[in-house]
Amino acid sequence: MSILKKISLFASAAIATLYTNVAMAQTATAEAGADAAKAAARTEMWLTVAFYILMFVAAGFILGVVGRALKVYELTASATKKKGLNWNSINASIILVIGFLGLYGAFWELNAHGGWLLPDPASKHGVQTDNLLHVTFYITFTVFVLTHCVLFTYLFLYRGRKNKRAYYYPHNDNLEKIWTMVPAVVLSILVFFGWKTWTSIMYPGDLKDAIKVEAVAEQFKWTVRYAGKDNLLGPRNYRLIGGDNVLGVKFDDKTSHDDFFPQEIVLPVNKTVQFQFGAKDVIHSAYMPHFRVQMNCVPGMNTYFTFTPTITTNEMRSKVNDAKFDYLLYCNKICGASHFNMKFVIKVVSDKEYRAWLKDQTPFWVKKNEKPAPAEAPAAPTAVPADSTKADSTKAADKTLAINIK
Amino acid sequence: MASQVISPEAVHHHDVHGHDAHGHHHESFLSKYVFSMDHKMIAKQFLITGIIMGVIGMILSILFRIQLAWPDKEFPLLEVILGKWGEGGRLNPAFYLSLVTIHGTIMVFFVLTAGLSGTFSNLLIPYQVGARDMASPFMNMLSYWFFFSASVVMICSFFVETGPAGPGWTIYPPLSALPKAMPGSGTGMTMWLISMAMFIASSLLGGINYISTILNMRTKGMSMTRMPLTIWGFLLTAILGLLSFPVLFAAVILLIFDRSFGTSFYLSDIYIGGEALPNSGGSPILFQHLFWFLGHPEVYIIIMPALGITSEVISTNSRKPIFGYRAMIGSFLGISFLSFIVWGHHMFVTGMNPFLGSVFMFTTLIIAVPSAVKTFNYLATLWRGNIQFTPAMMFAIGLVSFFITGGVTGLWLGNPSIDINLHDTYFVVAHFHIVMGCSAIFGMLAGVYHWYPKMFGRMMDNKLGYLHFYLTFISAYLVFFPMHFMGLDGVPRRYYTFTEFEMFTKWIALNKFITLAAILGAVAQVLFLYNFFVNIFKGKRAPQNPWHSNTLEWTTPVEHFHGNWPGEIPAVYRWPYDYSKPGAEEDFIPQTVPLSETVSSNTPHDFGFHGDESQFVHEYYQPKNVSAAVEQNAPQAN
Ligand code: HEM
Ligand SMILES: [Cu+2]
Ligand SMILES: [Cu+2]
């Protein structure tokens, strides 16, 4: 079997095809005449392709030569009764080197990229989450390093040798008990603290004073609604969606009258906020990694996440030394073609700034009733959702479709 | 009749004509190579189809990796290859998601489930338990052809107008249920569902066969506790598949109903494309429960055959018994049982009742215990071995490494408080590619290198195998290890590009690096393909037992017979791991060697005696100077 011959055959065939391809591309352009630039780009493309194929073939060729040389060497070695290459030793050594280089690489990357991760958690529970994460990291990284050291060392120490026998050692019940119990105990500890943390995050206790904010996802944007003065979000019904009632809020319910729709989320620092999530079309996921918050947005049901921001945007900006830093809410569940582009800015501010901002916000219902001539106002609340549905829904449809086709 | 498959003789060596069984009855080309009912042939069909699907899956991944590395660059070649999906030399965002979806589906189901289990369960179960074929060869053939049709339908979905399915391999509705939601939820999605329904049929047909063959058709002396660990792996894998795939089937059928017949199993309160849909009362979360009830066992369906193969390969090539045979079986059983009660760890942040989250956290972290036992037992098997670095052994070692690296990150994700921030980020991508992708692929490749001589009667080239191993091992780590860091920075998976986020610009260079490493890894597979396909015809002829292995398959002739053994099926007298037994002449004693022939190496254990050895008397037992032997062999440590 001659690898060499095969490869050179293959190489010449490949080159021949390429030449004809390139040539054809060129004649084609000459005939067409038009759009010369495009044709030139095509030629260039094929040349690039040819280049890479050539590289590939050359690599194959070199490999073939090396393989040949090795074979010749081994043949002559066995003919002259010399020891040939000892592949057990060679492989054991290479694995040892690669293994420890790899472990070094892991440490190197911890240094290099470990500093690029999310900044300190900007929420109360985030501190707990990160503690747990750090403990888990130290435990698992130790296990990772130790087991790999053992693996690579054993492979080298016990590499196969002629006239050697392995040690017949089928089992040792005590050893096995130990390495069942130790992981079990360590994991129980992780389970215990994990459970504590999880329940403290998920059962936040009394939420009467928590600021109520709703974020509703759709392809491919967020709509945010604050509960307003009464701190109660008005109910929604997806059949009321349409026109400017983008969420289908039931405006005949009084609790919705003070709800407002800001263009960015503004939260006061150190105040608990309860997010309510929803989705109009498909599942999305509200991801606010700086606060260690994530919750899916599911059509047909509400989901919740409660947390307390602890660092204002300004403080964080100086902390990470980036004047443009902003907390973000973005989508983390595949939801369609533009899933990658669904973000919303979150600002965490002082209590004073928050109050000032609140003052500037006008509830939707109030705006709605101000805009038209005052005389028409009383009829508006109930009429709005029902009437405007038809008129505007086609527009909305166009929008969605346009995005899809892109 | 000798159904030596791609008959080396017929093609080449006219001088060798030694099969007695020639000419019992004639098989046509069709019944021999196409609609074969011989388990060995079916194994090869599964393997080669799996390899082809694997190559396709790999090419898809390179396409989307290019997009991630150079999101702003135009590649005119893309337009040449992909047409409208690569318009202007840029990958279309919807098509990006389709690529990701089909890549995941192909790799998880077609390569690592059918390609792995289908190949090695079929090849090894009859061989290693000592049977002439599967319990039902006909169902076995059907199993392959369902798989083949499923593959064809899946690939054909590339040629429909709206492109292949795009909602991710987990196909969560409503995205997958509403053709309006994305192009990939149109005809392509229908084809995905049809393909998967056929795939499930294939898996079930295969699984029933594997289980009944193992339980009913073992040769004389092959008790359950003398079965090689490969067989244990295949048995539990098949049981897992039998219990969980029907649930996916149900999920798929309900989804088909929601898509085509107006039902509302998964749909409720949806406003899309400017209209409110009439569906109400369904739950998208229901689908996730059904999906992951299969989905989690599925990941163990993938890894357990690989672990079985690795146990066999590591033991053989360390020239040592597998350490803790019974513990290995126990951990298989533990993993199998637990894998059914952990599915909720994929759903911590779906809004599921937090109490359930706690329960699933508990079961999830506990599943790491049997996994850890396996790892430690592998290391103990290597200890004081006489390690033969065959390519199969190197890939098995690779599996151990990846299983550790990927397993430990499972402990991060299994902790729901940590998972809040890591769910659906690149950290998860890193976790499952390392623990499932890499480790199971390495197990599969170990199996291919190890049993290639049995399958094709020829040897692969070792040196190409070494190079293949090194390049693949290195590039896999270079690709997936850095992804942990991106995930910890909150970089989401399934994003077409990260250019819309200032905070992700710092990862651009790393993304390029990962893509280059992935290309290196892909090119390295060419070495394998060359080695595999060329040596089917040109490889050195395989000896009877090239790795000096104990298991039954190496007692069959190199030439393939329909029926495996020309004479009677050999009986089995011992477990499969008598390697380097003190007192034995050679460093291996095949399972077929009776204890009466190995008096010098027998131990009271071999006769089921576990008491004081000096008390034991048997005509085939030669008392040894116990204290001297113990001292001589005592571990250096302690
Ligand atoms: C030590 C044991 C393991 C633990 C504790 C564990 C835990 C987890 C958890 C909690 C997740 C969900 C992460 C998320 O989506 O946020 C996950 C994802 C995954 N794991 Fe594991 N895992 C383990 C071993 C394995 C093994 C052995 C495999 C496969 C052979 C595997 C394959 C996967 C896959 C495929 C996913 C991602 C599915 C997807 O979302 O697309 N895991 N694992
Ligand atoms: Cu999304
Ligand atoms: Cu899982």
Side-chain angles (χ1 to χ4, degrees), chain A residues 26-66:
Chain A
Q26 279 166 345
T27 42
T29 47
E31 269 166 21
D35 225 351
K38 210 172 164 189
R42 290 226 126 189
T43 320
E44 197 190 310
M45 174 192 89
W46 285 118
L47 281 174
T48 319
V49 172
F51 172 74
Y52 281 109
I53 292 183
L54 260 178
M55 293 251 295
F56 179 76
V57 170
F61 187 77
I62 293 170
L63 206 66
V65 172
V66 173

Side-chain angles (χ1 to χ4, degrees), chain A residues 143-214:
Chain A
V143 172
F144 164 77
V145 172
L146 288 183
T147 46
H148 272 90
C149 287
V150 170
L151 176 67
F152 298 132
T153 318
Y154 279 7
L155 289 175
F156 184 76
L157 285 181
Y158 307 118
R159 65 188 183 279
R161 270 165 274 198
K162 276 227 173 72
N163 312 322
K164 188 187 129 189
R165 271 246 176 142
Y167 170 50
Y168 186 81
Y169 192 53
H171 66 109
N172 177 331
D173 294 348
N174 289 331
L175 257 185
E176 286 165 66
K177 273 177 207 146
I178 290 174
W179 63 50
T180 310
M181 290 317 293
V182 170
V185 169
V186 174
L187 288 168
S188 304
I189 296 170
L190 284 181
V191 165
F192 181 75
F193 287 105
W195 173 69
K196 278 277 180 217
T197 315
W198 172 247
T199 42
S200 76
I201 297 171
M202 286 292 140
Y203 298 106
D206 186 18
L207 291 176
K208 256 210 320 273
D209 295 332
I211 301 165
K212 308 276 194 310
V213 183
E214 181 179 54

Side-chain angles (χ1 to χ4, degrees), chain B residues 169-170 292 299-300 303 345-346 364 367-368 371 403 407 410-411 413-414 419 423-424 428 431-432 435-436 493-494:
Chain B
W169 78 279
T170 51
W292 288 114
V299 304
Y300 284 96
I303 201 69
H345 64 214
H346 298 274
T364 299
I367 210 171
S371 311
F403 194 63
L411 302 182
L413 299 169
D419 189 54
H423 177 64
D424 265 337
V428 175
H431 160 70
F432 74 78
V435 76
M436 179 171 77
R493 67 197 278 207
R494 293 165 172 165

Side-chain angles (χ1 to χ4, degrees), chain A residues 88-382:
Chain A
N88 276 341
S89 297
I90 295 176
N91 282 324
S93 316
I94 298 180
I95 291 183
L96 188 74
V97 172
I98 290 182
F100 281 95
L101 274 182
L103 286 178
Y104 171 78
F107 278 103
W108 177 86
E109 192 169 15
L110 275 181
N111 266 331
H113 293 153
W116 292 10
L117 310 184
L118 289 168
D120 287 344
S123 66
K124 231 184 215 155
H125 77 273
V127 178
Q128 278 174 288
T129 315
D130 274 28
N131 277 342
L132 198 57
L133 188 136
H134 289 137
V135 172
T136 311
F137 164 74
Y138 284 116
I139 293 176
T140 54
F141 195 71
T142 313
V143 172
F144 164 77
V145 172
L146 288 183
T147 46
H148 272 90
C149 287
V150 170
L151 176 67
F152 298 132
T153 318
Y154 279 7
L155 289 175
F156 184 76
L157 285 181
Y158 307 118
R159 65 188 183 279
R161 270 165 274 198
K162 276 227 173 72
N163 312 322
K164 188 187 129 189
R165 271 246 176 142
Y167 170 50
Y168 186 81
Y169 192 53
H171 66 109
N172 177 331
D173 294 348
N174 289 331
L175 257 185
E176 286 165 66
K177 273 177 207 146
I178 290 174
W179 63 50
T180 310
M181 290 317 293
V182 170
V185 169
V186 174
L187 288 168
S188 304
I189 296 170
L190 284 181
V191 165
F192 181 75
F193 287 105
W195 173 69
K196 278 277 180 217
T197 315
W198 172 247
T199 42
S200 76
I201 297 171
M202 286 292 140
Y203 298 106
D206 186 18
L207 291 176
K208 256 210 320 273
D209 295 332
I211 301 165
K212 308 276 194 310
V213 183
E214 181 179 54
V216 179
E218 70 191 281
Q219 289 178 326
F220 296 97
K221 63 181 204 271
W222 298 95
T223 308
V224 171
R225 174 165 70 126
Y226 274 60
K229 281 212 178 67
D230 62 359
N231 207 16
L232 290 169
L233 287 159
R236 296 194 287 121
N237 182 337
Y238 81 110
R239 289 179 198 274
L240 300 179
I241 297 174
D244 52 6
N245 190 359
V246 287
L247 295 188
V249 177
K250 281 188 183 157
F251 282 108
D252 51 1
D253 189 302
K254 277 231 164 59
T255 53
S256 65
H257 291 187
D258 56 355
D259 295 357
F260 62 90
F261 295 73
Q263 286 315 303
E264 53 185 20
I265 299 171
V266 176
L267 300 171
V269 68
N270 293 327
K271 274 262 169 57
T272 304
V273 46
Q274 185 197 31
F275 266 90
Q276 168 180 321
F277 301 105
K280 281 158 76 171
D281 37 33
V282 300
I283 301 179
H284 301 259
S285 185
Y287 188 33
M288 305 177 229
H290 302 101
F291 303 107
R292 312 299 188 257
V293 168
Q294 176 168 212
M295 186 52 68
N296 286 2
C297 309
V298 186
M301 70 188 240
N302 286 330
T303 51
Y304 302 89
F305 203 114
T306 304
F307 67 98
T308 311
T310 50
I311 302 175
T312 64
T313 299
N314 279 332
E315 283 163 359
M316 195 53 113
R317 281 180 181 169
S318 54
K319 249 184 138 151
V320 299
N321 208 0
D322 173 5
K324 283 190 300 209
F325 173 87
D326 264 320
Y327 295 121
L328 290 180
L329 156 69
Y330 49 93
C331 183
N332 196 20
K333 183 64 80 188
I334 180 173
C335 59
S338 295
H339 168 51
F340 65 92
N341 193 7
M342 261 181 87
K343 59 174 185 238
F344 206 85
V345 172
I346 305 169
K347 289 245 155 72
V348 178
V349 298
S350 69
D351 200 48
K352 214 170 111 202
E353 288 165 297
Y354 176 67
R355 279 169 204 288
W357 177 78
L358 273 186
K359 276 219 185 79
D360 289 342
Q361 306 300 318
T362 322
F364 179 81
W365 193 79
V366 174
K367 254 196 259 179
K368 192 84 192 157
N369 291 311
E370 265 169 5
K371 247 190 246 153
E376 283 173 39
T382 39

